[in-house]
Amino acid sequence: MSTMNKQYRLAARPVGVPKDSDWEFTTEALPEIGADEVLVKIHYASLDPAMRGWMNEGRSYIPPVKIGEVMRAGTVGEVVASNSPDFKAGDFVSGMLGIQQYGKALAKDLTKVDPKLAPIETYLGGLGMPGLTAYFGLLDVGAVKEGDTVLVSGAAGAVGSLVGQIAKIKGARAVGIAGGPDKCAYVVDELGFDACLDYKSDSFLQDLKEPLKAGVDVYFDNVGGEILDIALARINRHARIVICGAISQYNNTTPMRGPQNYINLLVHHARMEGFVVFDYVTRYGEGVKELATWYGQGNLKFRTQVETGIENFPAVLLKLFKGENTGKLVLKIIED
Amino acid sequence: MSTMNKQYRLAARPVGVPKDSDWEFTTEALPEIGADEVLVKIHYASLDPAMRGWMNEGRSYIPPVKIGEVMRAGTVGEVVASNSPDFKAGDFVSGMLGIQQYGKALAKDLTKVDPKLAPIETYLGGLGMPGLTAYFGLLDVGAVKEGDTVLVSGAAGAVGSLVGQIAKIKGARAVGIAGGPDKCAYVVDELGFDACLDYKSDSFLQDLKEPLKAGVDVYFDNVGGEILDIALARINRHARIVICGAISQYNNTTPMRGPQNYINLLVHHARMEGFVVFDYVTRYGEGVKELATWYGQGNLKFRTQVETGIENFPAVLLKLFKGENTGKLVLKIIED
């Protein structure tokens, strides 16, 4: 085991797209662990659109990452030392340990994961936050019903890919929006969505007419911007718009674009509701259990895009904002 | 009784603010009534922001007024002839009879009103659509609870003035937004709101800090535009934004302004929900009964601004969009 720990720290608050000088790549000694603390060798770090928001100053659902602090990230890894009776060396755990090779945490802030049930990186994806985000967002906020038409943007992404699959499990129609023919083929052929619309295609506005001819009952929004307005233009009576993210707007240096068609909420007695997965922390167990059951039955497919090397973190993170990922994007931290 | 009927008809679809040439002032013979029909001499017509939307082409919650058609409006008046056993000459009724001196309707489309309980024009205001809009919007869509802070724009208007009063009846704090010190004084001193903010004041953004220091639990939006964004910036966890109207945007010739701060719905797990009062048609009886009870107990005050003369209809309608009304705006059609 190394005695040193490489880490990515936030050096400056980005303006627009994060650039190299917004990061500091540091090396320091392994941390000591105190009472009830556990030291974890990190295997994989989760890269998520929400990380962009955590880098900004200001009031949000969790405090921003401080300047000089190790960048916050979800991780999975192996326990290497423990002062807690609940964990022993060799256990696999998930927790918010950040972009570094080793991290420590209080035992209460770690969750054991089962490497026999699924590859451990799955606990950053389908059986982790993205899975729970799709699960509670679609079922609780979106209140999906059999026969609904569910439209989801970012359909080839970590959350969107699960939203459509869960919609199908619940007897709804699933229509995805994704960037490019390869992603759309994946969404329909591998994930089983009823249709997928390529927003980069010149015929996008034409293409959506047929799959959405019955209107939209649930729109699960991961992207914001123009696509949110296009969805609002096609909502049915009592539609539910689930605001999960707005990745098209996160690197804006101008004000965020508001949905001009929000007035359709009035016309159709519809609602737009936002959430973050942390709102459901007391129900995570319920969610993971059902997701794991569907996964075990072969009804839910997870895809993980693994990029390697902690030193590549700044460049790999940007793939999210360039639409260069399919499925859950993770960074492999441990060296082979 | 006259044998002729003066009427305002829609001559053209307005671009921006309606102008005189968008109307045709016609005179024709009184209509004959057929089976089950009733002829009404109209005393008052209701002037409402929603009328601007009915003048536009396109899909909405009710069909647009056709070119050449009598302008749609809520009215109260006196039955002068009836082919229905349910109505007799001398009954007072309300119904959507339009901007004209006499209107006919099927008996099923008229509702008797009681001139002893309240002046008949009240059935266009506090005991009519605006009252029901405030009632169902705040209680059903807004789900107001004791101790909530309720913010309402258009607070001196027909709907907003009732929203704040009903909030107070339910044990919530009521904060209004209105244009000018006179309206604000009316809202606080006569209607009993806890505070009222003058959006025309240079110190508006400063002034709202103290009354909204506990944040906003329910925002009842009648205006849209910048004020909707200001409200979204101050919402509490699980806040409800009730989209009732967007009068600041109705005469736009450019696209409607979308709420840039809608992403706060995500941060605070809040929802924005729209409605129109017609959604509650099966529950109107329940609403009118409770509104009439509160009115009878002196807990609800209605103010009606009566303008006179059918020939003045185009100019009087514009008062709504210039903010030149306090309380319910009606046009007295019958001549003294």
Side-chain angles (χ1 to χ4, degrees), chain A:
Chain A
M1 184 172 125
S2 167
T3 58
M4 300 304 284
N5 185 22
K6 292 182 187 166
Q7 307 167 307
Y8 260 104
R9 294 173 181 274
L10 187 63
R13 304 222 172 270
V15 178
V17 176
K19 50 190 186 308
D20 286 350
S21 60
D22 296 328
W23 303 109
E24 189 183 10
F25 194 35
T26 59
T27 304
E28 62 176 39
L30 285 194
E32 306 276 316
I33 53 173
D36 276 323
E37 285 189 329
V38 178
L39 182 66
V40 179
K41 181 171 186 174
I42 295 170
H43 289 214
Y44 295 93
S46 180
L47 301 192
D48 299 285
M51 293 166 80
R52 182 63 188 81
W54 303 342
M55 296 161 76
N56 294 335
E57 216 156 11
R59 181 188 179 202
S60 189
Y61 57 96
I62 45 172
V65 177
K66 295 193 194 84
I67 298 297
E69 205 173 3
V70 172
M71 182 60 200
R72 181 186 294 145
T75 59
V76 286
E78 187 181 352
V79 172
V80 290
S82 173
N83 286 336
S84 161
D86 298 334
F87 295 94
K88 61 177 193 304
D91 283 348
F92 286 94
V93 295
S94 69
M96 298 295 284
L97 298 181
I99 305 294
Q100 54 184 342
Q101 292 176 301
Y102 293 86
K104 70 172 185 177
L106 287 168
K108 71 174 181 56
D109 293 329
L110 296 172
T111 306
K112 266 187 221 181
V113 302
D114 181 355
K116 294 195 204 79
L117 183 59
I120 60 168
E121 61 271 27
T122 309
Y123 295 92
L124 299 178
L127 297 178
M129 291 300 148
L132 292 165
T133 301
Y135 182 87
F136 291 110
L138 183 64
L139 302 184
D140 196 76
V141 184
V144 70
K145 300 185 311 293
E146 194 175 335
D148 278 350
T149 294
V150 174
L151 179 67
V152 54
S153 54
V159 173
S161 61
L162 294 168
V163 168
Q165 294 181 80
I166 298 170
K168 294 296 295 178
I169 290 169
K170 294 293 180 181
R173 285 183 67 241
V175 179
I177 299 175
D182 292 349
K183 285 185 179 178
C184 277
Y186 163 68
V187 163
V188 172
D189 300 340
E190 291 193 44
L191 302 181
F193 283 46
D194 296 281
C196 184
L197 305 159
D198 175 6
Y199 73 86
K200 293 180 174 173
S201 163
D202 289 341
S203 58
F204 174 54
L205 291 178
Q206 277 301 317
D207 297 343
L208 55 74
K209 288 188 180 169
E210 173 62 24
L212 299 181
K213 67 176 183 233
V216 172
D217 300 297
V218 178
Y219 172 52
F220 194 107
D221 189 26
N222 291 305
V223 303
E226 189 181 355
I227 291 178
L228 173 54
D229 268 324
I230 288 167
L232 278 165
R234 307 192 81 85
I235 56 174
N236 289 332
R237 191 167 165 77
H238 294 303
R240 288 82 69 200
I241 316 293
V242 181
I243 302 296
C244 178
I247 197 170
S248 74
Q249 307 291 302
Y250 289 169
N251 289 307
N252 281 4
T253 51
T254 52
M256 188 168 283
R257 175 186 159 139
Q260 296 167 349
N261 289 335
Y262 85 98
I263 205 70
N264 277 3
L265 299 175
L266 182 157
V267 175
H268 301 294
H269 200 145
R271 71 178 152 83
M272 181 184 287
E273 183 166 343
F275 77 109
V276 293
V277 69
F278 303 126
D279 299 336
Y280 292 93
V281 66
T282 59
R283 295 176 58 193
Y284 281 177
E286 166 197 336
V288 170
K289 190 174 163 193
E290 192 153 28
L291 289 164
T293 301
W294 291 332
Y295 174 72
Q297 292 166 343
N299 289 323
L300 213 53
K301 290 178 186 165
F302 306 142
R303 183 190 280 195
T304 310
Q305 178 172 327
V306 180
E307 304 282 338
T308 54
I310 187 172
E311 66 281 5
N312 298 320
F313 164 69
V316 176
L317 180 66
L318 296 187
K319 288 179 180 275
L320 289 170
F321 305 107
K322 294 176 189 162
E324 291 176 0
N325 65 302
T326 300
K328 178 69 192 103
L329 184 65
V330 302
L331 184 64
K332 190 174 180 183
I333 302 284
I334 192 175
E335 287 160 19
D336 288 316

Side-chain angles (χ1 to χ4, degrees), chain B residues 155-169:
Chain B
V159 174
S161 61
L162 294 169
V163 168
Q165 293 182 81
I166 297 171
K168 294 296 295 178
I169 289 169

Side-chain angles (χ1 to χ4, degrees), chain B residues 230-244:
Chain B
I230 288 168
L232 278 165
R234 308 192 80 86
I235 55 175
N236 288 333
R237 191 167 165 76
H238 295 301
R240 288 81 69 198
I241 316 292
V242 182
I243 303 296
C244 178

